[in-house]
Every structure is written in structure tokens, then in C-alpha cells.
Amino acid sequence: MTEAIRAAAPVSLQPADMPIVSVVVPTFNERDNVTTLYQRLEAAFKDVPWEVVFVDDNSPDGTWQVVRELSRSDNRVRCIRRIGRRGLSGACIEGILAASAPYAAVIDADLQHDETQLPKMLKLLQDGAAELVIGSRYIEGGSAASFNKQRAGASAFATRIAQHALKVEVADPMSGFFMIRRDRFEQIAPKLSTQGFKILLDIIASAEGGLRTVEIPFTFGTRQHGESKLDSMVALDFLGLVLAKLTNDTLSLRFLLFAMVGGTGLFVHLGTLFLGLNLFDMPFTEAQALGAFVAMTTNFMLNNFLTYRDQRLKGFAVLRGLLIFYLVCSVGLFANVGVAFSVYDQEPIWWLAGAAGALMGVVWNYAISGLFVWRKR
């Protein structure tokens, strides 16, 4: 691989050769694909001035090192190495905003997207036929035959939800392969979420029908090397994004994920409260405090795994974060117990009192968690 990189002839860009299109490639553990993708882009664009911006989330396999070495032989190659933050949507946003060309494309590094369609996408944008061009798997001529049955079903289900809930009128809003006018993207960018994976859906929903959009077919290929940027939590990410857009971005995706975790914690809280009262015959105040403590612990673990996974605490930092979480939530805990006891004193319905106390601390816990537990470093 190194020899292939060094064999590339140095390319010097003059002002007249400033790129017309910037290709943004989010990467994580994709070192085996970088050079191949670069060569494919070079073949696809031929005489069209272009650049590629790899946005790497500090890959353990050293993807960013391969990109840096490649950039030494061709200054059309750029690298943004992100440390302390993760997420495909955030990577795409940073890459497009850092692009220098009037048109920006997003393509995966796993070689599953068809880079030969990029010139066609560019022409549609240049001719004014569209402001956004989507590589679609679900129109005539497109294919996602490489999907297994489970992934195909999940993709189709998510597409239907997006189309009906958000009134999205494209066939493949879940595609990760598209090209957009950069000036139009910059207008929409402040509304976009940096969390999650479905950047295209976010763009379409945030534009509220204001983007002229064209879909072109492509065949979704098979992953060659590297690690998928999707994980088991992508379904909740998607649900959070849909809910955020349904509330007109009044509530952020991260807050909604935090609230969903809090909903899980509510069941843990009530379950612990029920066991404390009925199995261990504890006084209500003590059972409520125990329920809050157990719920706080499970909420911390779930939030670290899901809500803040781009800032996930590891090793000793997990224990430190948990202790801080207990400390800063103590005010919310006292309010929780106080409100619950007041409700129970007026109306001795254990689940109503427990729910009132638990819900009291949601907004407080979210605000202080971002400031003291999962703060950006």
C-alpha cells in the first residue's frame, strides 16, 4: 500500500485549478480502502478539478496516517483528524464546511458506493437541474441486493417512517451517497444534528422541501475492508432524529436520547420502588431514595453507551464520571424524593408519586451532565 502511495506523481494545484467538487469521506478503521478509493476518484473525475477530504475519527488502525502520507504526494487530498468526538453526521458536516469547492459530495470509504456516478451528479448541479442529487438504491436501475434480509427490512422500514412521519418525498432518504451545492448546505447546516448517522435525512427534513432534488440509480456494493460505522444503537439514533424533526428541532437529538434513557430509568426506578415497598417492607422515603439511586446508576451506564457515545468515558474515567454524576445529581435527587413524598403524602399512590419525583430531575440531570460529566475536552 505504501509503495502505491509513493508511486503517485506529485500534483500541484494552481489557482485556475481550484476544485469544482469536494468529496467528503467519513472514515473509521478504513486504512485498507483509502488508496483504492483515491484511485477510483481520480479515474472517475479525469479532467474535472476535484479534492477529497477524509474526516477520520482518530482510527485505531491509523487510517489518518495513510491519508496524510497520500496527501504528501497529491495536495488534492486533505485530512481532518477528529479527536474526542465520533459520529458520521458530525464528520460529514465538518468535512463539507471545510470544503473549498462550490459542490460537495459525501461517499463512504468502504467502496460500496459507485463513484462513477459522481460526474453525473456534478453535471446535474452545474446545469441547475438540482441543488441536491441523491444516489438511490430504490428507484428503477438501482439495487441494494448486497443487503442481507435483516438489513434490507430495517432499511425499508426506516424509509417508510421517514417518508410518512417527516413527509419526505424521495425514494432513498437513508442513502449515504449524495452531492449538494455547498452554499445551500451552509444555509441548512445550523439546523443539523452532529449526532447520529442519517445526515441525508437530516438535510432533507431540515430544508423543509426547499431543495430541488434529483435521484439517480446506483448499485450498492459489498464492503471490502474496514469497520461499519453503524452499530446496534442506530435505530434509536434514527428514532431520535425523527422526533427532533417532528418537534421542529425544539428538542435536540441528544436530549431526546437522554430522555429515552430516562424513560428506561423510570421503569427501573418504579420497579425498585415496588420491590422495596412490597418485598423488603421499606418505608416509602427510603424505597424512593433507593429507586432513584439504582435508576441514576443505570441511566449513567446507558447514557455513556448511547447518548454520549461520541464522548464515551472509558477506563478509570467511567468511575470518576459516575461519582461526579452522583454528586451533581444530588440536588435533583433531593428534589425527586421531596416531590415524591409530598405527592404520596397527599395521595398515597406509589407509582404516581414515584413518577412525579423521577420526572422532576430529567431536565436538571441533562443540563449538568453535559457540563460536568461528558463535557467536551
Side-chain angles (χ1 to χ4, degrees):
M1 185 193 322
T2 301
E3 291 301 320
I5 294 171
R6 289 176 178 168
V11 176
S12 178
L13 291 179
Q14 302 300 322
D17 297 322
M18 289 298 291
I20 293 175
V21 58
S22 299
V23 182
V24 175
V25 186
T27 59
F28 186 73
N29 288 345
E30 305 276 10
R31 64 173 294 128
D32 293 332
N33 296 334
V34 165
T35 302
T36 301
L37 178 59
Y38 160 75
Q39 293 168 343
R40 290 186 181 185
L41 291 174
E42 191 171 39
F45 283 118
K46 297 178 182 177
D47 297 328
V48 175
W50 62 281
E51 69 172 358
V52 57
V53 182
F54 290 92
V55 186
D56 186 68
D57 287 352
N58 198 31
S59 296
D61 75 346
T63 299
W64 57 274
Q65 293 174 314
V66 178
V67 176
R68 290 276 172 80
E69 188 172 354
L70 184 57
S71 70
R72 293 189 186 102
S73 61
D74 189 339
N75 59 9
R76 294 175 299 186
V77 180
R78 297 167 56 194
C79 179
I80 298 175
R81 180 186 177 192
R82 306 201 307 167
I83 297 177
R85 57 196 191 278
R86 290 277 301 274
L88 188 144
S89 289
C92 292
I93 292 169
E94 289 190 39
I96 296 175
L97 293 179
S100 57
Y103 306 102
V106 171
I107 187 171
D108 284 351
D110 53 22
L111 310 180
Q112 292 178 288
H113 294 155
D114 183 2
E115 75 288 338
T116 64
Q117 300 301 313
L118 289 170
K120 185 186 298 184
M121 293 177 165
L122 178 61
K123 189 174 189 309
L124 287 167
L125 294 178
Q126 288 179 310
D127 291 347
E131 297 170 314
L132 170 67
V133 183
I134 301 169
S136 177
R137 300 159 294 184
Y138 304 133
I139 61 174
E140 185 176 356
S143 172
S146 62
F147 279 178
N148 59 37
K149 186 176 181 180
Q150 181 180 5
R151 186 172 180 186
S155 179
F157 180 67
T159 297
R160 286 195 294 271
I161 290 178
Q163 290 170 335
H164 289 89
L166 301 180
K167 310 301 181 185
V168 171
E169 297 180 354
V170 299
D172 194 0
M174 316 305 288
S175 176
F177 181 37
F178 62 91
M179 188 181 294
I180 189 170
R181 278 176 39 180
R182 190 165 59 87
D183 60 339
R184 295 291 285 119
F185 179 84
E186 289 181 347
Q187 293 171 354
I188 299 168
K191 300 179 182 180
L192 302 178
S193 170
T194 58
Q195 284 83 52
F197 295 88
K198 299 305 177 185
I199 178 66
L200 176 61
L201 176 61
D202 199 358
I203 290 171
I204 296 171
S206 298
E208 298 178 342
L211 280 175
R212 294 195 311 278
T213 303
V214 171
E215 294 184 85
I216 63 172
F218 85 102
T219 298
F220 193 77
T222 303
R223 166 175 282 276
Q224 301 298 313
H225 306 284
E227 178 178 314
S228 174
K229 290 169 282 296
L230 304 181
D231 61 25
S232 59
M233 295 295 105
V234 70
L236 286 179
D237 269 341
F238 170 72
L239 178 59
L241 176 60
V242 170
L243 291 174
K245 293 307 171 185
L246 286 175
T247 62
N248 199 28
D249 293 309
T250 302
L251 303 176
S252 71
L253 173 57
R254 198 187 294 277
F255 177 79
L256 287 167
L257 290 174
F258 190 92
M260 282 190 278
V261 169
T264 302
L266 177 60
F267 286 103
V268 173
H269 179 104
L270 294 177
T272 305
L273 177 60
F274 177 80
L275 291 174
L277 290 173
N278 295 279
L279 187 61
F280 298 103
D281 199 27
M282 297 172 64
F284 177 81
T285 304
E286 294 179 13
Q288 173 71 1
L290 178 63
F293 176 79
V294 174
M296 285 169 56
T297 305
T298 57
N299 282 2
F300 171 82
M301 296 302 180
L302 286 173
N303 279 313
N304 192 50
F305 180 69
L306 170 64
T307 310
Y308 293 94
R309 71 178 178 276
D310 57 325
Q311 300 163 230
R312 186 175 293 164
L313 303 177
K314 298 179 180 179
F316 179 75
V318 174
L319 178 60
R320 177 180 176 274
L322 179 59
L323 293 176
I324 296 174
F325 190 77
Y326 288 150
L327 180 63
V328 296
C329 289
S330 61
V331 175
L333 175 59
F334 285 124
N336 181 332
V337 175
V339 168
F341 186 75
S342 296
V343 172
Y344 191 79
D345 190 49
Q346 296 294 321
E347 189 69 43
I349 303 174
W350 67 270
W351 60 266
L352 178 63
L359 292 174
M360 180 69 184
V362 172
V363 175
W364 170 263
N365 290 345
Y366 174 73
I368 60 176
S369 293
L371 287 174
F372 296 104
V373 181
W374 289 281
R375 66 185 185 277
K376 288 186 178 295
R377 293 170 173 80

